[in-house]
Structures are given as C-alpha cells and as structure tokens.
Amino acid sequence: MTFLIKMGSPYVLGAVALMTNLVAAQDCKCSPSEACWPSISEWDSLNDTISGHLIRSVPPGSVCYPAQPNYNAEACNLVLASWNSSAFHSSDPISIDSPVWANNSCNPIYPNGTSVAGDPNAGETGCSIGAYPVYVVNTTEANDVQVALKFAKKWNVRLNIKNTGHNGSGRIWTHNLKQFQFHDNFKSCNTIGTQLAATIGAGMQDGELFEAMAAHNAIGVGGTNKDVGVVGWATGGGHGFMTGVYGMGADNILEATIITPNGTLLTANACKNADIFWAIRGGGGGTFGIILSLTVMAYPMPSVTLWGLSIAAKNGTSASAWYNLIARVHTLLPQLQDQGFHGYYSLIGPPAADTLTLGGSFFLWNATNGTAERITAPVQALLAAANDTVTSSTFSLYIPTFDSLVQALPSTEHVGTVTSIASSRLISRGVLMGDNQTLFAQTLEKIGPAAVAPSDGTPNPSLSGTMTISKKPVDNALNPAWRDAAIHLITTKTWDDSLAKAQVKQILDDMTYSKLNALRELDPGSGAYLNEANPFEPGWQWSFFGPNYARLRQIKDKYDPDGTLWCPQCVGSEDWAQQEDGALCRVYQPF
C-alpha cells in the first residue's frame, strides 16, 4: 500500500519489481496492516493541516462490484464507457491508465463478471485496493507537499508522486498546478540577452501548453499526445513533433522550482542548485524532488509541411524481401534528418493489416514550397524501383501554423483495456548507414511483425520508429546515446486478460530476452528511452542513462539519502523492492 502525493492529477504508482534479491523484512515502509501505520486521527490531523486536501482512495472500478459498499450500476456504466480514455485516468486521483501496475486489482466488470480488460474471473476475484495508494494528497501549493513529506518521514510511510498515468512505471506529473506565464524577454542567468519562454505549473498537459502558447503566437515543445503531462515527459528526455529541430524536452528546460525530500523549496537553474538542475533534465523528475513548476523555452509559431508515406508488401512478397527493402529505406533517414526532416512511422502486419505495412507522418518546419518533395526524392526513387515488391504512396500538405495541426490531433489516448510490453533501442546513425545492412534487415525481421499472424492466439508485434531526435549536444543528464541516434525503435506486443498466463509468460520472455537482446546486439553501445522501455530491462541503469548514471546516483544520494521518493527504474530504485501488495522494502545488502 502507498501514501501518495497527487500533484493535482496522478501519474503512476509503480511496477511490481522483478527482483530475486533477498529483502530485509525489518527495513520496509510501513503498511496499513501493521501497528506502525498512522491512526485515523493522525490522518485526520494531516487533512486539517493541508486544508482538506487529503483523499481516501476508492478505486474507480469499485462501483461495478456488488459486494462493494459503493456499488452503483449506473455509475459502473459510466466507468466502463470511460475506462479506455487516458483523460479519465489522468483526471482521477487514484487510477492509472496501465492498471496492470496496480495488479489489476479493481478493473471495472460487466454484469457477467468479466473485466473490461477481458479477465473472465474478475468478478469472482473481487475488488481490492491492491497496489493503488491508500491516501492521496491533492496538492495545490508548496505547503501541501512539504507537510506530506514531513508526515511520510515521521511515520515511515511509502510516498510516490502520481502523474497522468501515461507511463506505467512511474514518473512525476501534476494536475491542479496549471499556472502559465508567458515571458517575452526571459533572461537566463548564464546567457547574454533574452529569449521567449513560459513558466508552467507542474500540472500542465501538452494540449494545454500548445493552446496557451498559441495565444502568444508561439510554441513550446511537447509530446505527441495532448493528455500527457509536460513535466514528466520533459524530465525523462521527451521526444515529440518539434524536438528534432527545437531540441528534446529536457533541452528546453530553463529553470525549475523543486521541493526536495527534506522539504526545502529550491529554485534550480544553471547558476543555482545546478546539480539537481542538471539531473532533472533527462534523469527523470520523480526521484530527486517534487517539481512545482518549470520555465521552458518558447519559439515563434512556425508553419508545418506534413509529408505522409505508406508502403505495403504485395501478395507473394516474402518477409525477408520486405525487411531488406525497409532496411534500405532506413539508410536514407539520416540524410533526411540533416535537412530538417523528422517524424514517426510504424510497421504492422496481419491481422491489423492484410500484409506487412509501413505508415509514417513526417514534418518540416517553415519550409518553402517543394522542399519536402526535393528532400524525399531518394526515398521515392527507391520505392519506385521496388514496385515489383511493394506498393507505395505519398502526400504533402502545407499547414500554415503548428496550432492548426494541433487542432487535428486526438485529445486522448486509448488505454486501460489491454496490456502491452515493449522493447526498444536508440539506433545510431552508423548502424543505419554502415556496411552491415544484412544484420539490420535480419534484426527488423526478428523484432517486427510477421507476414502471417501467429496461430496460437499470441499477438503479432508492431514496430515503431521515432525520428524526432536532436543531435545538438546540451550539458544535461540525457543519455549521450540520444545525440548519435538516428531513430528510436520500439517493438511492442499487446494482449488482453483473456490470454492464458503461460502465453503471457511466453510473451514477456520473448520481448525481454529475445527481441531486446536482438536490439542490443544490433547496437551494443547505445541505450533506450526510459519512458518507452522494457519494464524488466536488465542493466537499465546503463540503457537509460549511460555514463551519466554514476553522477545521477550521487545527486540522488545527496538530496534523498533516505530513499523517500521511489519509482521503478528510476535513479536509486535498485535499493528497494516492491512486493505484490505494493509494500516497499530495502533490498538486502550484506556489506
């Protein structure tokens, strides 16, 4: 069980740690079943101190269970209808959009007892708090955080920071801290001159940032989903539509206000508290302190040229021939990026598509008419020469402002009803442009969708590529592997709870040990994006942070020596192990 600060709206609880280490039972955070747990009067006193902002957790799915005191069939129908919307979970103080990380302990059920995620036995199993937090502090000001930190330390209660829930493994986000202040002439402490910037509350989401910036005919970098929280996205690195040209999310942070685990309110920038300022720009935001606000760079509103690409294998095209062609397309990507061309693409196969298919959307900023066609001419020539193997089509669309593009984006994400696991890798330019294209094609075939859907009921993987990476070096904690990468490749398998446990284990093993290893063998010296990585990745410290991990660990130990803040695969998290019920205990250390 956890006590959790909800910085307005939630982020995430944390993953069940797969650890074989021995746990010292005498050194655990206090759980509700233990005598050390604060009494009701202590919780009431905390609630009074923070002006009634304490929430006793009730899982939203509990309204669907007849045995629960708050059972309500009408309310259940509303929860069932909303469960697949990320906005529902991000606005709820308890819920997360990947409920597997709360042990699927109270997913809403239909009248026949089957859960919305497909578990036919959910009704019989019943609803419990599971790994959801027991209490939530709905933070609206710094004092709420400081009081909660003091309470958690006094009672040795587990404390997590809950964000929107877009990343099931735990980072920081806030919801009700929505302030926004635009700066026409922001002066950084270590620069000459001024620049456009905006100070945003830790609760601001991408869609809100884009809208607020547009009112000043400006943009700020954000992700690709308007429901995602800016702070958690940026502090973990952050890629999005604009990042290839305007810098990664971490690169755009100019200043932060942070409450450290000892309750101190800091301003962090290049001149003050520079160590923690360095750490939160790429080292994750939920482990060094609780961020209340960020000041981020802003830029004049650009125009956008959208270029779309579709490639489909013809009937009779072998998987080997398909992936050899796709590998050849990848050799052209670095030179496209060097000309300001960035975007996203995905590969799918049956049953999601009739044949192996690639679809992509790419962007040029402030480009003149005809630029997209000129830049992509080598790609189009390659595809034209392969017309016996594939069919392909492209389109180009000029959009006068980025804000016009934003208006066409979906406001939420489809979540909650399925479980996914990914394996990913930053792939360096040298690998794409090197001599061993055969290995690259073989790796794509090994990790990507098959030409024929699996017959055993397990999912055919999808493969996606991120080509919005900034090469410009910045002195921050972002893994240096980003700067040499041309793409970030992610292979994903998705299933629902009707799949047999033996098959789920088969998927986990395949993704963690087969597909992940294939990606590592392809580019051994690279890494992965911590917000889109395998939750069981061995040696995650190097994959996510590279040579920066030692310095990040020192900063963690300086500001949080007691491990007050924890999230899985966050800096310093290896000191602790989370149990099935959410209990958090120190890992046994004989020395």
Side-chain angles (χ1 to χ4, degrees), residues 558-570:
K558 172 184 175 180
Y559 286 98
D560 190 17
D562 300 324
T564 300
L565 300 177
W566 182 90
C567 46
Q569 294 182 322
C570 295

Side-chain angles (χ1 to χ4, degrees), residues 29 46 102-103 169 255 267 297 391 405 437 444 513 559:
K29 300 292 184 180
L46 171 63
N103 302 339
S169 57
E255 192 168 275
T267 296
M297 298 179 189
T391 60
L405 174 64
Q437 286 304 299
L444 290 176
Y513 304 114
Y559 286 98

Side-chain angles (χ1 to χ4, degrees), residues 69-111:
N70 61 329
Y71 169 70
N72 184 306
E74 185 176 349
C76 176
N77 289 333
L78 292 174
V79 171
L80 287 166
S82 304
W83 196 255
N84 65 358
S85 168
S86 60
F88 171 82
H89 299 281
S90 64
S91 62
D92 185 272
I94 316 302
S95 194
I96 53 177
D97 62 14
S98 296
V100 64
W101 301 119
N103 302 339
N104 288 320
S105 60
C106 194
N107 290 341
I109 57 174
Y110 296 104

